[in-house]
């Protein structure tokens, strides 16, 4: 793996984080969909990130929250000779950001030859930078991180994500109630990227989601894997970057228990 990929990704994430901080409290908000907010800040951050990535790697693909996802085909993803594809969420945790809750992040991943290869999640407020390269371990800033050793659901602190406009009779709420009944506790923190990083660093023991997009979780999924965690589809199959309905946990045993609980 080219170490320059990681270096440039970190520069791009830092540029995006700087823009998000500069916009705090002075941006306008519009509705992208009911209860789904988009700001001038995330558009500006994505433009800055895209410029840095593609000026360094002009032949690479780019998939961002605001554009590019309709240009990715199954054939492209399966072709080992296709150039790498960057998967970017310039502002994961938009609702938190809009309401000045200080839990949001920039997420950048690189996908190549059927696998995630690089992942960066940059928290602008805490200045925590979670990162990983395939086969190289996971890090918080430059300190190696590992998942917890929790292997019993009743001892696990979990997080989950709901879709915008979740209805009272939805399967998402049914899963939440089931997990709340069996786990130590469950949180809904508002940033999928940070949830995964918190699993990787042992702050959370598990996280599941059925309503997120690839750009929300691609970087964090690699970071969990490289921190020796377990991330699988709800049915126990390999995590699919492009269809991310998954359970991420500290240990395999915990993953098995949580998936049974959510079934």
């Amino acid at each position: 793996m080219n170490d320059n990929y990681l270096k440039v990704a970190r520069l791009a994430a830092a540029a995006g984080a700087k823009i998000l901080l500069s916009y705090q409290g002075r941006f306008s908000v519009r509705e992208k969909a009911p209860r789904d907010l988009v700001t001038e800040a995330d558009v500006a951050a994505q433009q800055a990130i895209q410029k840095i990535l593609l000026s360094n790697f002009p032949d690479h693909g780019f998939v961002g929250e605001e554009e590019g996802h309709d240009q990715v085909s199954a054939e492209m993803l399966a072709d080992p000779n296709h150039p790498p594809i960057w998967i970017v969420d310039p502002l994961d945790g938009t609702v938190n950001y809009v309401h000045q809750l200080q839990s949001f992040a920039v997420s950048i991943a690189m996908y190549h030859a059927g696998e995630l290869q690089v992942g960066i999640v940059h928290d602008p407020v805490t200045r925590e930078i979670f990162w990983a390269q395939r086969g190289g371990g996971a890090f918080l800033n430059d300190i190696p991180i590992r998942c917890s050793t929790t292997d019993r659901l009743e001892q696990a602190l979990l997080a989950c994500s709901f879709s915008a406009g979740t209805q009272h009779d939805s399967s998402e709420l049914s899963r939440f109630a089931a997990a709340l009944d069996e786990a130590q506790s469950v949180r809904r923190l508002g940033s999928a990227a940070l949830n995964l990083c918190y699993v990787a660093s042992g702050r959370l023991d598990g996280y599941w989601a059925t309503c997120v997009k690839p750009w929300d979780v691609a970087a964090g999924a690699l970071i969990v894997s490289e921190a020796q965690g377990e991330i699988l589809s709800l049915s126990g199959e390999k995590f699919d970057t492009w269809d991310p309905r998954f359970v991420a946990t500290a240990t395999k045993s915990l993953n098995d228990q949580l998936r049974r609980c959510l079934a």
Side-chain angles (χ1 to χ4, degrees), residues 120-142:
I120 306 283
V121 176
H122 187 129
D123 184 331
V125 176
T126 65
R127 299 183 181 180
E128 291 185 323
I129 304 168
F130 298 87
W131 59 275
Q133 281 185 286
R134 177 162 296 278
F139 298 83
L140 168 50
N141 296 331
D142 291 316

Side-chain angles (χ1 to χ4, degrees), residues 19-256:
I19 287 172
L20 295 183
L21 290 177
S22 74
Y23 269 87
Q24 272 202 311
R26 67 179 183 88
F27 52 81
S28 65
V29 180
R30 64 185 187 275
E31 284 198 344
K32 183 165 54 177
R35 302 188 191 177
D36 189 2
L37 302 170
V38 63
T39 68
E40 293 174 5
D42 59 3
V43 173
Q46 179 163 304
Q47 289 173 345
I49 291 166
Q50 185 172 12
K51 181 177 180 180
I52 290 171
L53 294 175
L54 297 188
S55 63
N56 282 274
F57 310 112
D59 63 327
H60 287 196
F62 185 90
V63 175
E65 182 181 17
E66 305 303 329
E67 65 177 88
H69 41 281
D70 56 347
Q71 300 171 12
V72 176
S73 67
E75 294 76 16
M76 179 190 302
L77 299 175
D79 182 1
N81 296 315
H82 190 278
I85 299 169
W86 293 96
I87 309 171
V88 173
D89 190 344
L91 173 51
D92 184 66
T94 304
V95 174
N96 285 351
Y97 181 80
V98 166
H99 290 276
Q100 299 187 47
L101 290 174
Q102 303 301 295
S103 182
F104 56 88
V106 178
S107 176
I108 300 176
M110 193 266 277
Y111 186 95
H112 181 57
E115 300 283 359
L116 292 163
Q117 303 292 343
V118 171
I120 306 283
V121 176
H122 187 129
D123 184 331
V125 176
T126 65
R127 299 183 181 180
E128 291 185 323
I129 304 168
F130 298 87
W131 59 275
Q133 281 185 286
R134 177 162 296 278
F139 298 83
L140 168 50
N141 296 331
D142 291 316
I143 299 172
I145 54 175
R146 290 284 298 270
C147 295
S148 76
T149 58
T150 302
D151 60 2
R152 294 172 58 188
L153 185 54
E154 62 266 28
Q155 296 178 338
L157 176 60
L158 308 176
C160 66
S161 291
F162 298 158
S163 57
T166 299
Q167 300 298 309
H168 68 89
D169 57 351
S170 71
S171 58
E172 290 174 1
L173 284 180
S174 297
R175 291 188 182 106
F176 176 83
L180 192 62
D181 190 48
E182 294 195 32
Q184 184 181 79
S185 194
V186 184
R187 301 286 186 262
R188 186 186 179 205
L189 301 176
S191 169
L194 288 176
N195 286 341
L196 285 164
C197 291
Y198 294 163
V199 173
S201 58
R203 299 174 186 175
L204 292 172
D205 302 305
Y207 166 58
W208 82 90
T210 58
C211 58
V212 294
K213 301 297 185 182
W215 44 86
D216 299 318
V217 296
L222 178 63
I223 293 167
V224 167
S225 295
E226 290 296 323
Q228 307 302 307
E230 188 86 1
I231 180 165
L232 298 169
S233 74
L234 285 177
S235 59
E237 298 172 349
K238 181 180 178 181
F239 172 78
D240 184 348
T241 302
W242 305 98
D243 184 20
R245 292 174 291 176
F246 64 89
V247 173
T249 55
T251 60
K252 183 181 185 304
S253 175
L254 183 59
N255 201 287
D256 292 342

